[in-house]
Amino acid sequence: MLRPVETVSRETKSLDGVWRFLVDKDRAGRHEQWWTADLPGALDIPVPSSYNDIYPDPAIRDHVGDVWYQTVVRPPASWEGKRVVLRFDAAAHLATVWVGEKEVVTHRGGFVPFEVEVTDLLQYGRPNRLTVAINNELSLSAMPPGRQYRTPAGATAQALTGDYFNYTGLNRRVWLYTTPHEHIQDITVRTDLDGPDGLVSYDVFTSAPGGVTVRLLDARGTQVAAGSGHTGELAVPQVHRWEPGEGYLYRLEIGYGEDVYELPVGVRTVAVRGREFLINGRPFTFRGFGRHQESPVRGHGHDDVIMVHDFALLDWIGANSIRTAHYPYAEEVLEHADRNGIVVIAEQEAGMINLAMDFGPRTGPEPRTFGPDGFGADAREACLTSVRRLIERDKNHPSVVMWCLSNEPDSAADGAREFLEPIVEQARELDPTRPVCFTNVFLAPAGQDRVTDLFDVICLNRYYGWYLDGGDLASAEKRLVEELDQWAARHDSPILITECGAEALPGAHEVAATMWTEEYQSEVLEMVARVADAHAAVVGQHVWSFADFRTRQEIIRPEGNRKGVFDRDRKPKAAAYALRRRWRS
């Protein structure tokens, strides 16, 4: 699915702005057919944003079930006769859409786009009612996973298996766009290096047979290569490589009949060789963060201002990479990473496939993660769908160097290999050019994990000094060294510490550092860095987290997770300065 762009043959119309919004407290909307008229008693809601924190009302913030969005769309009269598509960059998590009184699409998956052709359903040059019902209910058979439960007061509540708040709504942009009726449907680009030259292979998919022309232009607009046909390879003499820290992009211009599409292309290679992670044939060391695409008031709603500011802070601190924990980020984020040479590990929205981790109230014995009472065949199919959509959407971004197929699954449990192996096989089939990984939780150490040999990089989420050996950094350092040695003895693969850190309350200080102080957070990160630097198999460190973020309400989460080196408003803690001194030296 191609991103909407303006070209000589395509036009776009943003539907962002203030929509009407209604919480369906009594689950009446579908029965009463709310899409057939103006929403009764609706509030204003900005799109894109999560709805949860816009109004100071716990009934909205914690609502479980349907909410309704509605706006008026006025497609230009000049669009009549063209092919017109309605596109949602994301709607969390299950969306049903009506144009006027006609239901046009239903989609599950809160972090990836979906679209539908509406050419014959619109009145051009006139107002059209657009209504969207969005359901945020979670289950173990859909992604992201979670479950509903009843509170003692009789209310419906829910919990993600992951440690973040279930922000929902129209979190990303909404568009109308046009194409010719015979149009380019999709493009796949793969790049390689041949000495000083570059190779750009392409596959173009079209709505009908017909000739395809391809031109590759450099950043100044000069043509450097050209070809024809749906499949081909372009040679680029003296190629300007896409490098970490330098996001040089060419422009691939594809012509098909009356349709023209333009795609940014970064020429680079990615590989794993023994215990090295290679970009353009040279060892790369990861310095950066796991993070959430999350900010105050907006929740998971995309915001260009927050995005650019966050990337400016990444540059200030000296980071070169991020992981999109724990779901695909807005495409604007990857485009910005492409332009700025930030390396990205792209993660699907599977969250924690792990019932050994606590998430909400539990009664009875601990359930088995894999099986009919936990994550079964439906969940595996949902993961396969999530991985496929992630790769189909983000395959052409040079910033993306690795696919993360699961965060902290129960990889020591019976059934883990049978669950994860088909997901790995699908990812490799869809994209043989990038390594794959998953992030390992401390409950599955080297001697118990059952799946790591399926992957290319060992990614460890480890909180020595916090959840393990809290307050005892000498023991934490000793145990981290021992565990890294155990992994290195079993696997000839690179090791990346994908999560590490400690929580710090801004303004909490002690000369003799203790847990929750800014000084202790700095000392934990310095300890992990010291161990990582000394270990030959370790190819980098991602701190958890870039910024504080909201979680469900818990006594161990004062206003959310406080492991950020920036607070939720992006003000630096002491650890941010410590990392900056280290990473920019």
Side-chain angles (χ1 to χ4, degrees):
M1 185 185 301
L2 295 175
R3 184 132 172 84
V5 296
E6 293 269 354
T7 70
V8 296
S9 64
R10 295 176 175 231
E11 296 179 76
T12 65
K13 178 179 175 62
S14 172
L15 303 185
D16 296 352
V18 177
W19 292 38
R20 302 294 282 164
F21 172 79
L22 190 60
V23 174
D24 195 350
K25 297 178 182 179
D26 300 319
R27 299 178 182 262
R30 294 179 188 269
H31 174 70
E32 296 176 2
Q33 300 184 349
W34 284 358
W35 61 88
T36 62
D38 292 345
L39 293 177
L43 301 168
D44 287 341
I45 200 76
V47 173
S49 72
S50 303
Y51 65 77
N52 307 80
D53 292 346
I54 303 297
Y55 288 93
D57 184 350
I60 296 177
R61 181 193 64 208
D62 300 325
H63 173 71
V64 178
D66 283 348
V67 297
W68 293 75
Y69 286 75
Q70 195 173 79
T71 193
V72 172
V73 179
R74 294 178 175 85
S78 61
W79 282 16
E80 193 161 10
K82 300 179 181 180
R83 177 177 176 266
V84 182
V85 178
L86 172 64
R87 175 189 168 101
F88 294 81
D89 282 356
H93 298 285
L94 175 64
T96 305
V97 181
W98 292 264
V99 174
E101 298 187 11
K102 173 70 173 178
E103 181 179 330
V104 295
V105 66
T106 295
H107 176 266
R108 179 178 292 280
F111 301 97
V112 291
F114 63 99
E115 62 184 29
V116 59
E117 184 179 342
V118 292
T119 305
D120 298 329
L121 299 176
L122 295 174
Q123 300 181 73
Y124 295 91
R126 299 173 60 187
N128 298 258
R129 186 174 58 252
L130 175 61
T131 309
V132 186
I134 297 177
N135 183 278
N136 69 346
E137 292 174 287
L138 304 172
S139 74
L140 298 185
S141 60
M143 300 298 125
R147 63 181 175 88
Q148 269 71 242
Y149 59 92
R150 302 289 284 181
T151 69
T156 300
Q158 64 181 345
L160 279 160
T161 60
D163 183 32
Y164 61 95
F165 190 82
N166 184 28
Y167 280 113
T168 46
L170 287 179
N171 288 330
R172 297 178 188 165
R173 289 172 171 153
V174 185
W175 310 77
L176 284 175
Y177 73 90
T178 70
T179 74
H181 287 278
E182 292 191 356
H183 58 280
I184 300 164
Q185 294 177 314
D186 198 12
I187 304 163
T188 299
V189 170
R190 292 169 180 166
T191 65
D192 204 349
L193 298 172
D194 183 14
D197 303 331
L199 300 173
V200 177
S201 302
Y202 62 87
D203 292 291
V204 179
F205 303 89
T206 57
S207 60
V212 171
T213 60
V214 175
R215 298 198 308 149
L216 189 68
L217 311 177
D218 65 16
R220 295 173 297 181
T222 302
Q223 180 175 306
V224 297
S228 62
H230 285 74
T231 299
E233 183 177 80
L234 306 177
V236 187
Q238 299 296 316
V239 69
H240 194 147
R241 301 178 180 188
W242 187 96
E243 299 273 9
E246 186 190 3
Y248 188 90
L249 296 174
Y250 290 87
R251 186 169 84 250
L252 190 67
E253 187 179 278
I254 303 99
Y256 165 69
E258 296 180 354
D259 197 14
V260 175
Y261 193 87
E262 297 178 356
L263 180 73
V265 173
V267 182
R268 58 100 184 99
T269 61
V270 177
V272 170
R273 183 180 64 199
R275 291 179 172 174
E276 294 180 314
F277 193 96
L278 306 177
I279 298 179
N280 295 334
R282 295 190 296 274
F284 177 74
T285 300
F286 292 84
R287 301 189 310 269
F289 298 94
R291 62 190 297 274
H292 281 285
Q293 189 181 1
E294 191 255 36
S295 59
V297 183
R298 304 159 185 81
H300 284 162
H302 175 72
D303 184 296
D304 284 341
V305 176
I306 295 294
M307 176 188 72
V308 173
H309 182 52
D310 283 356
F311 274 84
L313 292 176
L314 290 174
D315 179 66
W316 174 85
I317 207 169
N320 63 15
S321 53
I322 60 171
R323 175 168 65 102
T324 67
H326 300 299
Y327 38 80
Y329 286 5
E331 289 166 277
E332 292 90 341
V333 175
L334 297 184
E335 291 168 350
H336 202 70
D338 291 341
R339 292 191 298 268
N340 289 275
I342 295 294
V343 169
V344 176
I345 300 171
E347 187 165 299
Q348 71 138 325
E349 60 180 313
M352 291 181 182
I353 309 297
N354 194 332
L355 296 185
M357 303 290 284
D358 177 52
F359 63 104
R362 176 184 293 164
T363 58
E366 181 175 301
R368 291 181 54 183
T369 293
F370 300 105
D373 297 327
F375 293 93
D378 289 346
R380 185 172 58 243
E381 287 303 312
C383 281
L384 287 165
T385 298
S386 295
V387 168
R388 175 174 52 79
R389 289 173 173 166
L390 168 69
I391 294 175
E392 288 175 348
R393 194 196 75 165
D394 296 341
K395 61 190 174 184
N396 295 324
H397 289 285
S399 58
V400 175
V401 301
M402 184 158 57
W403 305 115
C404 185
L405 305 184
S406 185
N407 175 66
E408 298 189 355
D410 196 357
S411 61
D414 291 341
R417 193 175 187 92
E418 292 78 5
F419 188 95
L420 289 168
E421 191 166 15
I423 299 169
V424 176
E425 291 173 350
Q426 176 188 254
R428 293 195 187 282
E429 180 180 349
L430 290 171
D431 180 13
T433 71
R434 290 179 175 90
V436 296
C437 68
F438 80 101
T439 60
N440 172 283
V441 69
F442 73 96
L443 296 173
Q448 299 178 32
D449 171 87
R450 304 182 184 208
V451 302
T452 291
D453 61 293
L454 299 173
F455 297 84
D456 300 299
V457 178
I458 301 167
C459 293
L460 302 179
N461 293 356
R462 290 299 182 268
Y463 290 96
Y464 288 105
W466 190 251
Y467 299 121
L468 304 169
D469 304 309
D472 182 359
L473 288 184
S475 296
E477 184 165 356
K478 180 176 184 294
R479 291 220 288 171
L480 177 56
V481 171
E482 290 172 350
E483 184 176 3
L484 293 176
D485 287 341
Q486 291 165 7
W487 284 103
R490 288 177 174 268
H491 302 279
D492 184 28
S493 302
I495 299 173
L496 174 60
I497 299 174
T498 36
E499 290 185 21
C500 62
E503 302 200 39
L505 296 175
H509 297 283
E510 283 193 21
V511 174
T514 59
M515 296 175 71
W516 294 98
T517 64
E518 294 189 36
E519 290 77 17
Y520 186 78
Q521 183 185 44
S522 298
E523 290 187 10
V524 168
L525 296 179
E526 289 166 358
M527 178 273 291
V528 175
R530 186 166 58 247
V531 172
D533 286 353
H535 204 286
V538 175
V539 295
Q541 171 192 7
H542 271 184
V543 173
W544 188 264
S545 169
F546 171 75
D548 293 347
F549 57 92
R550 169 160 283 185
T551 64
R552 66 181 184 269
Q553 297 184 65
E554 296 178 283
I555 58 172
I556 64 167
R557 293 283 184 259
E559 295 184 347
N561 192 306
R562 296 304 195 100
K563 294 188 184 72
V565 303
F566 298 94
D567 70 15
R568 201 166 180 231
D569 292 316
R570 276 50 175 179
K571 299 296 190 295
K573 303 177 189 176
Y577 290 98
L579 287 173
R580 185 174 192 266
R581 288 191 294 271
R582 173 180 178 78
W583 286 349
R584 295 192 68 88
S585 59

